[in-house]
Coordinates of all heavy atoms in Angstrom, one line a residue:
M10 N 108.8 106.5 111.1 CA 109.5 105.9 110.1 C 110.1 106.9 109.1 O 109.4 107.8 108.7 CB 108.7 104.9 109.3 CG 109.4 104.1 108.3 SD 110.6 103.0 109.0 CE 111.2 102.2 107.6
T11 N 111.4 106.9 108.8 CA 112.0 107.9 107.9 C 112.3 107.4 106.6 O 112.8 108.1 105.7 CB 113.2 108.5 108.6 OG1 114.2 107.4 108.7 CG2 112.9 109.1 109.9
N12 N 112.2 106.1 106.3 CA 112.6 105.5 105.0 C 114.0 105.8 104.6 O 114.4 106.0 103.5 CB 111.7 106.0 103.9 CG 110.3 105.5 104.1 OD1 110.0 104.4 104.5 ND2 109.3 106.3 103.7
G13 N 114.9 105.9 105.6 CA 116.3 106.1 105.4 C 116.7 107.6 105.2 O 117.9 107.9 105.0
D14 N 115.7 108.5 105.2 CA 116.0 109.9 105.0 C 116.5 110.5 106.3 O 115.8 110.7 107.3 CB 114.8 110.7 104.5 CG 115.0 112.1 104.2 OD1 116.1 112.7 104.6 OD2 114.2 112.7 103.4
M15 N 117.8 110.8 106.4 CA 118.5 111.3 107.6 C 118.2 112.7 107.9 O 118.6 113.2 109.0 CB 120.0 111.0 107.5 CG 120.3 109.5 107.5 SD 122.0 109.2 107.1 CE 122.9 110.0 108.4
R16 N 117.5 113.5 107.1 CA 117.1 114.8 107.4 C 116.1 114.9 108.6 O 116.1 115.9 109.3 CB 116.5 115.5 106.2 CG 117.5 115.8 105.1 CD 116.9 116.4 103.9 NE 116.0 115.5 103.3 CZ 115.4 115.7 102.1 NH1 115.5 116.8 101.5 NH2 114.6 114.8 101.6
N17 N 115.3 113.9 108.8 CA 114.3 113.9 109.8 C 114.3 112.7 110.7 O 113.3 112.4 111.4 CB 112.9 114.0 109.1 CG 112.8 115.3 108.3 OD1 113.1 116.4 108.8 ND2 112.4 115.1 107.1
G18 N 115.4 111.9 110.7 CA 115.4 110.7 111.5 C 116.8 110.2 111.8 O 117.8 110.8 111.5
P19 N 116.8 108.9 112.3 CA 118.1 108.3 112.6 C 118.8 107.9 111.3 O 118.4 108.0 110.2 CB 117.6 107.1 113.4 CG 116.3 106.7 112.9 CD 115.7 108.1 112.5
C20 N 120.0 107.4 111.6 CA 120.9 106.9 110.5 C 120.2 105.9 109.6 O 119.6 104.9 110.2 CB 122.2 106.3 111.0 SG 123.2 105.6 109.8
G21 N 120.2 106.0 108.3 CA 119.5 105.1 107.4 C 120.2 103.8 107.3 O 119.7 102.8 106.7
V22 N 121.4 103.6 107.8 CA 122.2 102.4 107.7 C 122.2 101.6 109.0 O 121.8 100.5 109.1 CB 123.6 102.6 107.2 CG1 124.5 101.4 107.3 CG2 123.7 103.2 105.8
C23 N 122.6 102.3 110.1 CA 122.7 101.6 111.4 C 121.6 101.9 112.4 O 121.5 101.2 113.4 CB 124.1 101.8 112.0 SG 124.2 103.5 112.8
G24 N 120.8 102.9 112.1 CA 119.7 103.2 112.9 C 120.1 104.1 114.1 O 119.2 104.4 114.9
A25 N 121.3 104.5 114.3 CA 121.7 105.3 115.4 C 121.1 106.7 115.4 O 120.9 107.2 114.3 CB 123.3 105.4 115.5
D26 N 120.7 107.2 116.6 CA 120.1 108.5 116.7 C 121.2 109.5 117.0 O 121.2 110.3 118.0 CB 119.0 108.5 117.7 CG 118.2 109.8 117.7 OD1 118.3 110.5 116.7 OD2 117.6 110.1 118.7
E27 N 122.2 109.6 116.1 CA 123.4 110.5 116.3 C 123.7 111.1 115.0 O 124.8 110.8 114.4 CB 124.6 109.7 116.9 CG 125.7 110.6 117.3 CD 126.9 109.8 117.9 OE1 126.7 108.6 118.2 OE2 127.9 110.4 118.0
V28 N 122.8 111.9 114.4 CA 123.0 112.5 113.1 C 123.4 113.9 113.2 O 122.7 114.7 114.0 CB 121.7 112.3 112.2 CG1 121.8 113.0 110.9 CG2 121.4 110.8 112.0
Y29 N 124.4 114.3 112.5 CA 124.9 115.7 112.5 C 124.6 116.3 111.1 O 124.7 115.6 110.1 CB 126.4 115.8 112.8 CG 126.7 115.2 114.2 CD1 127.0 113.8 114.3 CD2 126.6 115.9 115.3 CE1 127.2 113.2 115.5 CE2 126.9 115.4 116.5 CZ 127.2 114.0 116.6 OH 127.4 113.5 117.9
Q30 N 124.4 117.6 111.0 CA 124.2 118.3 109.7 C 125.3 119.3 109.5 O 125.8 120.0 110.3 CB 122.9 119.1 109.7 CG 122.7 119.8 108.4 CD 121.4 120.6 108.4 OE1 120.7 120.7 109.4 NE2 121.1 121.2 107.3
G31 N 125.8 119.3 108.2 CA 126.8 120.3 107.8 C 126.5 120.6 106.3 O 125.5 120.2 105.8
E32 N 127.4 121.4 105.7 CA 127.3 121.7 104.3 C 128.5 121.3 103.6 O 129.6 121.5 104.2 CB 127.0 123.2 104.1 CG 125.7 123.7 104.6 CD 125.5 125.2 104.3 OE1 126.5 125.9 104.2 OE2 124.3 125.6 104.2
F33 N 128.4 120.8 102.4 CA 129.6 120.4 101.6 C 129.8 121.5 100.6 O 128.9 121.8 99.8 CB 129.4 119.1 101.0 CG 130.6 118.6 100.2 CD1 131.6 117.9 100.9 CD2 130.8 118.9 98.9 CE1 132.7 117.5 100.2 CE2 132.0 118.5 98.2 CZ 132.9 117.8 98.9
T34 N 131.0 122.1 100.6 CA 131.3 123.1 99.6 C 132.7 122.8 99.1 O 133.4 122.0 99.6 CB 131.3 124.5 100.2 OG1 132.3 124.6 101.2 CG2 130.0 124.9 100.8
G35 N 133.1 123.4 98.0 CA 134.4 123.2 97.5 C 134.4 123.1 96.0 O 133.4 123.5 95.3
Q36 N 135.4 122.6 95.4 CA 135.6 122.6 94.0 C 135.0 121.3 93.4 O 135.7 120.5 92.8 CB 137.0 122.8 93.6 CG 137.6 124.1 94.0 CD 136.9 125.2 93.3 OE1 136.6 125.2 92.1 NE2 136.6 126.3 94.0
V37 N 133.7 121.1 93.6 CA 133.0 120.0 93.0 C 132.0 120.5 92.1 O 131.5 121.6 92.2 CB 132.4 119.0 94.0 CG1 133.4 118.4 94.9 CG2 131.3 119.8 94.8
G38 N 131.6 119.7 91.1 CA 130.6 120.2 90.1 C 129.6 119.1 89.9 O 129.8 117.9 90.3
L39 N 128.5 119.4 89.3 CA 127.5 118.5 88.9 C 127.3 118.5 87.4 O 127.0 119.6 86.9 CB 126.2 118.8 89.6 CG 125.0 117.9 89.4 CD1 125.3 116.5 89.9 CD2 123.8 118.4 90.0
R40 N 127.6 117.4 86.7 CA 127.5 117.5 85.3 C 127.0 116.2 84.7 O 127.0 115.1 85.4 CB 129.0 117.7 84.7 CG 129.9 116.5 85.0 CD 131.3 116.8 84.6 NE 132.1 115.6 84.8 CZ 133.4 115.5 84.6 NH1 134.0 116.6 84.3 NH2 134.0 114.4 84.7
P41 N 126.6 116.2 83.5 CA 126.2 114.9 82.9 C 127.4 114.0 82.8 O 128.5 114.5 82.7 CB 125.7 115.4 81.5 CG 125.4 116.8 81.6 CD 126.4 117.3 82.6
V42 N 127.2 112.7 82.7 CA 128.3 111.8 82.6 C 129.1 112.1 81.3 O 128.5 112.2 80.2 CB 127.8 110.3 82.6 CG1 128.9 109.3 82.3 CG2 127.0 110.1 83.9
G43 N 130.4 112.2 81.4 CA 131.3 112.4 80.3 C 131.4 113.8 79.7 O 132.1 114.0 78.8
V44 N 130.7 114.8 80.4 CA 130.8 116.2 79.9 C 131.7 116.9 80.8 O 131.8 116.7 82.0 CB 129.4 116.8 79.9 CG1 129.4 118.3 79.5 CG2 128.5 116.0 79.0
T45 N 132.4 117.9 80.3 CA 133.5 118.6 81.1 C 132.9 119.8 81.8 O 133.6 120.3 82.7 CB 134.7 118.9 80.3 OG1 134.2 119.7 79.2 CG2 135.4 117.7 79.8
L46 N 131.8 120.4 81.4 CA 131.3 121.6 82.1 C 130.2 121.2 83.0 O 129.5 120.3 82.9 CB 130.8 122.6 81.0 CG 131.8 123.1 80.0 CD1 131.1 124.0 79.0 CD2 132.9 123.9 80.7
G47 N 130.0 122.1 84.0 CA 128.9 121.8 85.0 C 128.7 122.9 86.0 O 129.4 123.9 86.0
K48 N 127.7 122.7 86.8 CA 127.3 123.7 87.9 C 128.1 123.3 89.1 O 128.6 122.2 89.3 CB 125.8 123.6 88.2 CG 125.0 124.0 87.0 CD 124.9 125.5 87.0 CE 123.9 125.9 85.9 NZ 123.7 127.3 85.8
R49 N 128.2 124.3 90.0 CA 128.9 124.1 91.3 C 127.8 124.3 92.4 O 127.7 125.3 93.0 CB 130.0 125.0 91.5 CG 131.1 124.9 90.5 CD 132.4 125.3 91.0 NE 133.4 125.4 90.0 CZ 134.0 124.3 89.5 NH1 133.6 123.1 89.8 NH2 134.9 124.4 88.5
P50 N 127.1 123.2 92.7 CA 126.0 123.3 93.7 C 126.5 123.2 95.1 O 127.7 122.9 95.4 CB 125.1 122.1 93.4 CG 126.1 121.1 92.9 CD 127.2 121.9 92.2
V51 N 125.6 123.5 96.1 CA 125.9 123.3 97.5 C 125.0 122.2 98.0 O 123.8 122.1 97.7 CB 125.6 124.6 98.3 CG1 125.8 124.4 99.8 CG2 126.5 125.7 97.8
F52 N 125.6 121.3 98.8 CA 124.9 120.2 99.3 C 124.8 120.3 100.9 O 125.7 120.7 101.5 CB 125.7 118.9 99.1 CG 125.7 118.5 97.6 CD1 126.7 119.0 96.8 CD2 124.8 117.7 97.1 CE1 126.8 118.6 95.5 CE2 124.8 117.3 95.7 CZ 125.9 117.8 94.9
D53 N 123.6 120.0 101.4 CA 123.5 119.7 102.8 C 123.9 118.3 103.0 O 123.6 117.4 102.2 CB 122.0 119.8 103.3 CG 121.5 121.2 103.3 OD1 122.3 122.1 103.6 OD2 120.3 121.5 103.0
V54 N 124.7 118.0 104.1 CA 125.2 116.7 104.3 C 124.8 116.3 105.7 O 124.9 117.1 106.7 CB 126.8 116.7 104.2 CG1 127.3 115.3 104.5 CG2 127.2 117.1 102.8
Y55 N 124.3 115.1 105.8 CA 123.9 114.5 107.1 C 124.8 113.3 107.4 O 125.0 112.4 106.6 CB 122.4 114.1 107.1 CG 121.6 115.3 106.9 CD1 121.3 115.7 105.6 CD2 121.0 116.0 108.0 CE1 120.5 116.9 105.4 CE2 120.3 117.1 107.8 CZ 120.0 117.5 106.5 OH 119.3 118.7 106.3
L56 N 125.5 113.4 108.6 CA 126.5 112.4 108.9 C 126.1 111.6 110.2 O 125.7 112.2 111.2 CB 127.9 113.0 109.2 CG 128.5 113.8 108.0 CD1 129.6 114.7 108.5 CD2 129.0 112.8 106.9
C57 N 126.3 110.3 110.1 CA 126.0 109.5 111.3 C 127.3 109.4 112.2 O 128.4 109.1 111.7 CB 125.6 108.1 110.9 SG 125.4 107.0 112.4
G58 N 127.2 109.8 113.4 CA 128.4 109.8 114.3 C 128.7 108.4 114.8 O 129.8 108.2 115.4
A59 N 127.8 107.5 114.6 CA 128.1 106.1 115.1 C 128.8 105.2 114.0 O 129.7 104.5 114.3 CB 126.8 105.4 115.5
C60 N 128.3 105.3 112.7 CA 128.9 104.4 111.7 C 129.6 105.2 110.5 O 130.2 104.6 109.7 CB 127.8 103.5 111.1 SG 126.7 104.3 110.0
G61 N 129.4 106.5 110.5 CA 130.1 107.3 109.4 C 129.3 107.4 108.1 O 129.8 108.1 107.2
H62 N 128.1 106.8 108.1 CA 127.3 107.0 106.8 C 127.0 108.4 106.6 O 126.7 109.2 107.5 CB 126.0 106.2 107.0 CG 125.1 106.3 105.8 ND1 125.4 105.8 104.6 CD2 123.8 106.8 105.8 CE1 124.4 106.1 103.8 NE2 123.4 106.7 104.5
A63 N 127.1 108.9 105.3 CA 126.8 110.2 104.9 C 125.7 110.2 103.9 O 125.6 109.4 103.0 CB 128.0 110.9 104.4
Q64 N 124.8 111.2 104.0 CA 123.7 111.4 103.0 C 123.7 112.8 102.5 O 123.7 113.7 103.4 CB 122.4 111.0 103.7 CG 121.2 110.8 102.7 CD 120.0 110.3 103.5 OE1 119.4 111.1 104.2 NE2 119.7 109.0 103.4
W65 N 123.8 113.0 101.2 CA 123.8 114.4 100.6 C 122.5 114.8 100.1 O 121.8 114.0 99.4 CB 124.9 114.4 99.5 CG 126.3 114.1 99.9 CD1 126.7 113.4 100.9 CD2 127.4 114.6 99.2 NE1 128.1 113.3 100.9 CE2 128.5 114.1 99.8 CE3 127.6 115.4 98.1 CZ2 129.8 114.3 99.4 CZ3 128.9 115.6 97.6 CH2 130.0 115.1 98.3
H66 N 122.1 116.0 100.2 CA 120.9 116.6 99.6 C 121.3 117.9 98.9 O 121.8 118.8 99.6 CB 119.8 116.8 100.7 CG 119.3 115.5 101.3 ND1 118.2 114.9 100.8 CD2 119.8 114.8 102.3 CE1 118.1 113.8 101.5 NE2 119.0 113.7 102.4
L67 N 121.0 118.0 97.7 CA 121.3 119.2 96.9 C 120.3 120.3 97.2 O 119.1 120.1 97.3 CB 121.2 118.8 95.4 CG 121.4 119.9 94.4 CD1 122.9 120.4 94.5 CD2 121.2 119.3 93.0
K68 N 120.8 121.5 97.4 CA 120.0 122.7 97.6 C 119.5 123.1 96.3 O 120.2 123.8 95.5 CB 120.7 123.8 98.3 CG 121.1 123.5 99.7 CD 121.8 124.6 100.4 CE 122.1 124.3 101.8 NZ 122.8 125.4 102.5
L69 N 118.2 122.7 95.9 CA 117.7 123.0 94.6 C 117.2 124.4 94.5 O 116.4 124.9 95.3 CB 116.5 122.1 94.3 CG 116.9 120.6 93.9 CD1 115.7 119.8 93.7 CD2 117.7 120.6 92.6
T70 N 117.7 125.2 93.5 CA 117.1 126.4 93.1 C 116.4 126.2 91.8 O 116.6 125.2 91.2 CB 118.2 127.5 92.9 OG1 119.0 127.0 91.8 CG2 119.1 127.7 94.2
P71 N 115.5 127.1 91.4 CA 114.8 126.9 90.1 C 115.8 126.7 89.0 O 115.6 125.9 88.1 CB 113.9 128.1 90.0 CG 113.6 128.6 91.4 CD 114.9 128.2 92.2
G72 N 116.8 127.5 89.0 CA 117.8 127.4 87.9 C 118.6 126.1 87.9 O 118.8 125.5 86.8
L73 N 118.9 125.6 89.1 CA 119.6 124.4 89.1 C 118.7 123.2 88.8 O 119.1 122.3 88.1 CB 120.2 124.2 90.5 CG 121.2 123.0 90.7 CD1 122.3 123.0 89.7 CD2 121.8 123.0 92.1
R74 N 117.5 123.3 89.2 CA 116.5 122.2 88.9 C 116.3 122.2 87.4 O 116.3 121.1 86.8 CB 115.2 122.5 89.6 CG 114.2 121.4 89.3 CD 112.9 121.7 90.1 NE 112.0 120.6 89.8 CZ 111.8 119.6 90.6 NH1 112.4 119.5 91.8 NH2 110.9 118.6 90.3
S75 N 116.2 123.3 86.7 CA 116.1 123.4 85.3 C 117.3 122.8 84.6 O 117.2 122.0 83.6 CB 115.9 124.8 84.8 OG 115.9 124.9 83.4
Y76 N 118.5 123.1 85.1 CA 119.7 122.5 84.6 C 119.7 121.0 84.6 O 120.1 120.3 83.7 CB 120.9 123.1 85.3 CG 122.2 122.5 85.0 CD1 123.0 122.9 83.9 CD2 122.8 121.4 85.7 CE1 124.2 122.3 83.5 CE2 124.0 120.8 85.4 CZ 124.7 121.3 84.3 OH 125.9 120.7 83.9
I77 N 119.3 120.5 85.8 CA 119.3 119.1 86.0 C 118.4 118.4 85.0 O 118.7 117.4 84.4 CB 118.9 118.7 87.5 CG1 120.1 119.1 88.4 CG2 118.6 117.3 87.6 CD1 119.7 119.1 89.9
E78 N 117.2 119.0 84.9 CA 116.1 118.4 84.0 C 116.6 118.4 82.6 O 116.3 117.5 81.8 CB 114.8 119.1 84.2 CG 114.2 118.9 85.5 CD 113.0 119.8 85.8 OE1 112.7 120.7 85.0 OE2 112.3 119.5 86.8
R79 N 117.3 119.5 82.2 CA 117.7 119.6 80.8 C 119.0 118.8 80.5 O 119.1 118.3 79.4 CB 118.0 121.1 80.5 CG 116.8 121.9 80.3 CD 117.1 123.4 79.9 NE 117.7 124.1 81.0 CZ 119.0 124.4 81.1 NH1 119.8 124.2 80.1 NH2 119.5 125.1 82.1
R80 N 119.9 118.7 81.4 CA 121.2 118.2 81.1 C 121.5 116.8 81.6 O 122.4 116.1 81.0 CB 122.3 119.1 81.7 CG 122.2 120.5 81.1 CD 122.5 120.6 79.6 NE 123.8 120.0 79.3 CZ 125.0 120.7 79.3 NH1 125.0 121.9 79.7 NH2 126.1 120.1 79.1
L81 N 120.9 116.3 82.7 CA 121.3 115.0 83.2 C 120.3 113.9 82.7 O 119.2 114.2 82.4 CB 121.3 115.1 84.8 CG 122.3 116.1 85.4 CD1 122.2 116.0 86.9 CD2 123.7 116.0 84.8
D82 N 120.8 112.7 82.7 CA 120.0 111.6 82.3 C 119.1 111.1 83.5 O 119.7 110.9 84.6 CB 120.9 110.4 81.9 CG 121.6 110.7 80.6 OD1 121.1 111.5 79.8 OD2 122.8 110.2 80.5
R83 N 117.8 111.1 83.3 CA 116.9 110.7 84.4 C 116.9 109.1 84.5 O 116.8 108.4 83.5 CB 115.5 111.2 84.1 CG 114.6 110.8 85.3 CD 113.2 111.5 85.1 NE 112.4 111.2 86.3 CZ 111.2 111.6 86.4 NH1 110.6 112.4 85.5 NH2 110.4 111.3 87.5
R84 N 117.1 108.6 85.7 CA 117.0 107.2 85.9 C 115.7 106.8 86.4 O 115.2 107.3 87.4 CB 118.1 106.8 87.0 CG 119.5 107.1 86.5 CD 120.5 106.7 87.5 NE 120.4 105.3 87.9 CZ 121.1 104.3 87.3 NH1 122.0 104.6 86.4 NH2 121.0 103.0 87.7
P85 N 115.0 105.9 85.7 CA 113.7 105.5 86.1 C 113.7 104.6 87.4 O 114.8 104.0 87.6 CB 113.2 104.6 84.9 CG 114.4 104.2 84.2 CD 115.5 105.2 84.5
P86 N 112.6 104.6 88.1 CA 112.6 103.8 89.3 C 112.8 102.3 89.0 O 112.4 101.9 87.9 CB 111.2 104.0 89.9 CG 110.6 105.1 89.2 CD 111.4 105.3 87.9
R87 N 113.4 101.6 89.8 CA 113.7 100.1 89.6 C 112.8 99.3 90.5 O 112.6 99.6 91.6 CB 115.1 99.8 89.7 CG 115.9 100.5 88.7 CD 117.4 100.2 88.8 NE 118.1 101.1 87.8 CZ 119.4 101.0 87.6 NH1 120.1 100.2 88.3 NH2 119.9 101.8 86.8
Ligands
ZN5 ZN1 124.9 105.0 111.2

């Protein structure tokens, strides 16, 4: 059981065992809502070849983790 985590299992939406890995790069940033400055992180992306579902995972460095903890709003579990 993967709980929908496509890094180690099938697609979290359709269940297909056709998951591909890539990296997302480009001119995107990660910032608090409504703020104009931010970091430019790199994401690992897992794509389902059957339904197109994509799952992104941020490559956390200590500096980026600190930035997230200091600058972004934490959402409590629901
Ligand atoms: Zn799928």
Side-chain angles (χ1 to χ4, degrees):
M10 184 65 178
T11 62
N12 295 324
D14 188 338
M15 292 168 63
R16 290 177 291 185
N17 301 308
C20 175
V22 171
C23 75
D26 190 16
E27 190 180 343
V28 175
Y29 301 90
Q30 179 181 3
E32 290 181 336
F33 186 87
T34 62
Q36 296 298 316
V37 296
L39 181 63
R40 67 184 187 188
V42 176
V44 176
T45 56
L46 298 175
K48 296 280 186 180
R49 299 205 187 289
V51 175
F52 293 88
D53 287 326
V54 180
Y55 297 84
L56 299 164
C57 177
C60 76
H62 176 65
Q64 196 173 72
W65 298 26
H66 294 268
L67 180 62
K68 292 183 175 181
L69 283 175
T70 62
L73 188 52
R74 185 178 180 97
S75 174
Y76 173 84
I77 290 168
E78 290 171 352
R79 285 182 290 108
R80 300 295 304 274
L81 302 184
D82 295 327
R83 185 171 181 179
R84 294 181 57 95
R87 296 180 186 182

